[in-house]
Amino acid sequence: MSDLVEKSFYDESSDSLVVKTSYDNSAVLAANNSQRIATPETGRYKGNLVHVGRIHMGDVTRLKNEGYDLLSADPEESKRALLYIQSNERYHLTVPGTPIAKKKLAWV
């Protein structure tokens, strides 16, 4: 998953160095889709810890540039990023449905 390719070039019109990053996340998305299809429809979560998503490092960087920091030390910021993925980029999830809760659960 570390197949990020960075190309940098100098833009004379804006007098700045431009860095373009490209990546191929098709293998990760294909694995997510096959795991999502294999997940049973009933009794998915029911108090169990579940692997709900797999995200390519290129997508982590892209989301950070869009204002969603998945790797933030602040749990509220990480949760905001996960909820964004759950609502807008569902192809990163490995289970159907909405596994990421919007409210904080109390562990007893």
Side-chain angles (χ1 to χ4, degrees):
M1 287 185 17
S2 62
D3 53 349
L4 298 174
V5 177
E6 288 188 350
K7 295 180 181 176
S8 58
F9 60 93
Y10 177 72
D11 184 13
E12 292 181 17
S13 62
S14 64
D15 191 34
S16 61
L17 180 68
V18 178
V19 178
K20 290 193 176 189
T21 304
S22 62
Y23 58 94
D24 182 20
N25 63 354
S26 60
V28 174
L29 296 181
N32 288 351
N33 189 34
S34 64
Q35 189 170 349
R36 188 172 42 253
I37 290 170
T39 303
E41 283 297 316
T42 58
R44 291 185 294 247
Y45 320 124
K46 285 267 187 191
N48 298 321
L49 292 178
V50 178
H51 178 208
V52 298
R54 185 179 299 111
I55 301 173
H56 190 279
M57 259 328 274
D59 288 317
V60 171
T61 305
R62 178 184 56 81
L63 288 168
K64 187 170 185 176
N65 290 336
E66 292 177 8
Y68 299 99
D69 190 4
L70 283 166
L71 304 178
S72 174
D74 179 19
E76 291 300 317
E77 174 59 27
S78 297
K79 183 162 196 141
R80 187 176 79 85
L82 288 170
L83 289 172
Y84 171 79
I85 288 172
Q86 179 172 271
S87 62
N88 298 325
E89 299 186 9
R90 300 195 55 79
Y91 45 85
H92 292 296
L93 300 180
T94 57
V95 293
T98 54
I100 303 165
K102 293 182 181 176
K103 62 181 182 177
K104 187 174 185 176
L105 297 176
W107 294 88
V108 202

